[in-house]
Amino acid sequence: MTMTALVAPTVTDYATSADLATLVVRTTHDGEIMLGAEQLRLSCKCAHCTRARFDGRFPQAFPGIAITEIGDLGYGLNISFSDGHNRGIYPKPYLLNLAGR
């Protein structure tokens, strides 16, 4: 009897596209996945964004938003955006979930 262990994909590396509009994530299973800066900004789960959603003040779109900085926290990425928002922490499993993986 042979047993096969299922191992969930994980993030191995990341970079931004040249135009800063996309986060390119490399994984152990799928090669590369791409997440748009606007999708990431709209998906922020920080307390500020969560409260803004609750209060009905969260924007429906962030046209032209760019990724300005990425901090690697080990378990996730702290992504800063061109609108000055820099509070969002995106755990690596959450990034894969956003990409539908």
Side-chain angles (χ1 to χ4, degrees):
M1 178 176 183
T2 304
M3 295 185 77
T4 304
L6 296 177
V7 179
T10 188
V11 173
T12 59
D13 195 19
Y14 58 88
T16 56
S17 61
D19 64 0
L20 306 178
T22 305
L23 176 67
V24 181
V25 178
R26 289 171 204 63
T27 72
T28 54
H29 288 185
D30 302 314
E32 285 186 351
I33 56 175
M34 308 238 188
L35 297 164
E38 184 173 33
Q39 176 189 5
L40 290 166
R41 184 65 182 88
L42 287 167
S43 301
C44 183
K45 299 283 186 190
C46 78
H48 175 79
C49 290
T50 299
R51 184 63 198 198
R53 281 186 195 89
F54 181 78
D55 291 343
R57 297 180 291 107
F58 195 77
Q60 297 294 313
F62 289 92
I65 194 95
I67 297 168
T68 58
E69 189 174 346
I70 301 173
D72 192 334
L73 304 174
Y75 68 92
L77 303 178
N78 175 227
I79 302 174
S80 300
F81 297 93
S82 57
D83 66 349
H85 187 71
N86 62 1
R87 299 178 184 186
I89 296 174
Y90 298 78
K92 291 176 181 177
Y94 184 53
L95 291 172
L96 297 174
N97 186 48
L98 288 175
R101 303 289 197 271

